Amino acid sequence: FVLGTRYGEGFAVDPDWPLYRVVISKGARLLARPLTPLSDPMSGFFGISRDAFSRGKNDISPVGFKIGLELFVKCSCTRTAEVQIFFAKREHGESKLTGKVMLYYLLHLAQLYQYQYPYLIPMVVVLAAVVLYYVAMLLFAPAAVKTKDS
C-alpha cells in the first residue's frame, strides 16, 4: 500500500492552511491511529497492489470517501510506503468538509473498528454498563441504608 502523505519527516502542509483545518486533520488522524500506522490515512492519494486488493475485495463497502483507509484495513495491508505530497491552501472552489461529512467519517470509523476489532464495541458497552451500575450503587446505596435504619 503506497500513500501520498502531507505528514512525516521532511513533509509539509501549506503554512497558510487554516488552523481549524489543521486541528480537524490531526483529530481525524488520531481517531484512525489504532486502525493504521499510516501518517495520513485521510489522504486520497494512494496505490494498492492487485494481490492486496484481492484479499479484501469482498469486504469493501466504502461510504463514498476515505476509500484508502477502507482498503488499507479490509485488505489487511502489511507492507506500506509513503511518498511526500504538498497540500496547499485551496485557491478555487469550496471545501467539501462539512459537519455532515465529519459525521459520515465517524460512522465510517465505527464500521472499520467493528470490522478490525469485532469484540471491541460490545466490550465497551458491557464495561460502560458495569461502571454505571457501580456508580449508581455508590450514589444510591447509602440512601437505602439510611432509610432502613430510620
Side-chain angles (χ1 to χ4, degrees), residues 87-103:
F87 201 78
K89 181 179 167 193
R90 185 180 301 272
E91 294 291 325
H92 304 285
E94 295 180 22
S95 171
K96 296 176 294 242
L97 184 63
T98 63
K100 185 176 181 179
V101 167
M102 288 186 244
L103 177 62

Side-chain angles (χ1 to χ4, degrees), residues 44-60:
F45 300 98
F46 61 89
I48 186 169
S49 71
R50 182 172 292 170
D51 290 340
F53 179 76
S54 66
R55 284 194 301 266
K57 68 181 178 183
N58 295 328
D59 294 327
I60 298 167

Side-chain angles (χ1 to χ4, degrees), residues 95-142:
S95 171
K96 296 176 294 242
L97 184 63
T98 63
K100 185 176 181 179
V101 167
M102 288 186 244
L103 177 62
Y104 283 147
Y105 174 67
L106 294 175
L107 293 173
H108 191 197
L109 275 182
Q111 292 170 357
L112 292 175
Y113 274 102
Q114 181 68 30
Y115 179 86
Q116 188 78 11
Y117 308 107
Y119 300 108
L120 179 67
I121 293 174
M123 285 176 29
V124 168
V125 169
V126 168
L127 181 62
V130 168
V131 167
L132 286 173
Y133 172 77
Y134 281 111
V135 167
M137 293 302 290
L138 287 172
L139 293 174
F140 300 113

Side-chain angles (χ1 to χ4, degrees), residues 46-77:
F46 61 89
I48 186 169
S49 71
R50 182 172 292 170
D51 290 340
F53 179 76
S54 66
R55 284 194 301 266
K57 68 181 178 183
N58 295 328
D59 294 327
I60 298 167
S61 58
V63 290
F65 56 96
K66 304 311 165 214
I67 182 74
L69 180 59
E70 172 97 8
L71 289 169
F72 181 86
V73 171
K74 293 193 175 177
C75 295
S76 303
C77 296

